[in-house]
C-alpha cells in the first residue's frame, strides 16, 4: 500500500510517501511496524494522540482494519481555514 | 457548488459578485474571508500544505452537509495553499440562501469544519524559524455546537 506523510510527520520521517509491504491488520499494527524501523519513525509516531490517520482519503481511527485499503495517510490535526 | 483548491490568489470582489449574480432565488449572500495575520510583525510568511485529492473530497463533503442542513441555493469555497504573506487572503466561503439566517449559519458551519476537517496544515515562518501551527482545542470544541 501507499503510505503518505504530511506536515511535521513528513519532516520527521524525511519523505512524503512510500510503498509499504505489511501484514498489519489494523492501522495500529502498521504504526508498530513503522515505529520499529528506526528513530525517525519512532519520533514521528511517538504520540498517537497528536496524529490523525486517513484510509483511502477518509478520516479513520487507529483501530480501523487495513483490509482492501490502498492509501494510508498520517498527519497532525488539521489547521485549515 | 464550487470548490477550488489553488495556489493562486483570488479576486474577492469578483468572486463574490459572480457568485451573487448566479444564485437565482436567493435573498441573502454571506461571505467570509480568512487573511494571513502578521502576528504583530513577527510573521514573515505562511506555508500551507494540503493533501491533494482528499482536500477536494473533504471540502465537497462538508459543503454537501451544509447544503442538506440549511436552505442554501449555492455555496462556494476557495482555499489556497503554498507560500502566503501577511495580509493575503488564504481562503473564502460564500453562501446563498432565501433568507440571511441560513446563509450566516451555513457560512459559520463551513468555517468551523474547514478549520479542523479539511486536510490543510499551516506553518508559520518568522523570527523564531519555522513553526507548525498547532490545532486549538477551541476549534475542535466549535464542532460540537453543530
Amino acid at each position: 500500500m501507499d503510505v503518505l506523510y504530511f506536515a511535521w510527520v513528513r519532516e520527521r520521517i524525511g519523505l512524503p510517501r512510500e510503498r509499504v509491504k505489511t501484514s498489519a491488520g489494523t492501522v495500529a499494527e502498521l504504526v508498530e511496524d513503522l515505529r520499529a524501523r528506526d528513530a525517525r519513525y519512532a519520533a514521528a509516531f511517538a504520540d498517537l494522540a497528536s496524529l490523525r490517520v486517513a484510509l483511502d482519503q477518509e478520516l479513520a481511527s487507529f483501530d480501523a482494519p487495513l483490509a482492501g485499503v490502498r492509501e494510508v495517510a498520517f498527519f497532525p490535526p488539521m489547521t485549515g481555514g | 457548488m464550487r470548490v477550488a483548491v489553488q495556489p493562486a490568489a483570488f479576486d474577492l470582489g469578483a468572486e463574490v459578485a459572480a457568485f451573487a449574480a448566479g444564485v437565482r432565488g436567493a435573498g441573502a449572500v454571506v461571505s467570509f474571508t480568512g487573511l494571513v495575520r502578521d502576528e504583530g510583525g513577527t510573521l514573515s510568511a505562511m506555508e500551507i500544505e494540503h493533501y491533494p485529492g482528499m482536500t477536494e473530497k473533504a471540502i465537497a463533503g462538508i459543503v454537501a452537509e451544509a447544503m442538506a442542513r440549511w436552505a442554501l441555493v449555492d455555496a462556494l469555497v476557495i482555499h489556497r495553499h503554498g507560500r502566503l504573506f501577511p495580509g493575503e487572503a488564504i481562503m473564502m466561503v460564500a453562501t446563498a440562501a432565501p433568507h440571511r439566517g441560513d446563509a450566516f449559519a451555513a457560512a459559520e458551519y463551513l468555517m468551523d469544519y474547514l478549520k479542523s476537517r479539511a486536510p490543510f496544515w499551516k506553518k508559520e515562518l518568522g523570527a523564531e524559524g519555522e513553526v507548525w501551527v498547532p490545532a486549538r482545542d477551541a476549534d475542535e470544541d466549535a464542532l460540537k455546537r453543530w
Side-chain angles (χ1 to χ4, degrees), chain B residues 85-103:
Chain B
F85 297 94
E88 282 194 68
I90 302 172
M91 54 86 64
M92 66 167 291
V93 303
T95 55
H99 301 282
R100 71 177 185 277
D102 281 350

Side-chain angles (χ1 to χ4, degrees), chain B residues 40-94:
Chain B
T42 62
L43 186 91
S44 54
M46 177 174 276
E47 284 271 351
I48 300 177
E49 181 172 337
H50 80 116
Y51 183 172
M54 179 173 170
T55 309
E56 293 80 357
K57 279 198 280 187
I59 297 175
I62 292 166
V63 174
E65 178 65 24
M67 305 275 295
R69 284 189 182 216
W70 290 279
L72 296 187
V73 176
D74 199 3
L76 165 68
V77 176
I78 302 174
H79 202 304
R80 297 174 63 195
H81 57 89
R83 180 164 293 201
L84 280 70
F85 297 94
E88 282 194 68
I90 302 172
M91 54 86 64
M92 66 167 291
V93 303

Side-chain angles (χ1 to χ4, degrees), chain A residues 7 10-11 71 76 79 81, chain B residues 49 51 120-123 132:
Chain A
R10 170 178 55 72
E11 290 181 341
E71 186 173 294
T79 52
Chain B
E49 181 172 337
Y51 183 172
F120 290 99
W121 301 275
K122 294 192 184 111
K123 180 196 257 183
W132 288 102

Side-chain angles (χ1 to χ4, degrees), chain B residues 107-127:
Chain B
E108 281 222 83
Y109 174 92
L110 289 176
M111 285 312 306
D112 282 349
Y113 272 81
L114 287 168
K115 271 247 168 256
S116 45
R117 291 293 182 274
F120 290 99
W121 301 275
K122 294 192 184 111
K123 180 196 257 183
E124 293 178 346
L125 289 71

Side-chain angles (χ1 to χ4, degrees), chain A residues 52-77:
Chain A
R52 301 290 180 270
V53 60
L55 301 180
D56 289 331
Q57 305 190 353
E58 298 272 355
L59 283 174
S61 62
F62 283 89
D63 56 8
L66 289 176
V69 170
R70 285 174 302 182
E71 186 173 294
V72 181
F74 294 103
F75 43 77

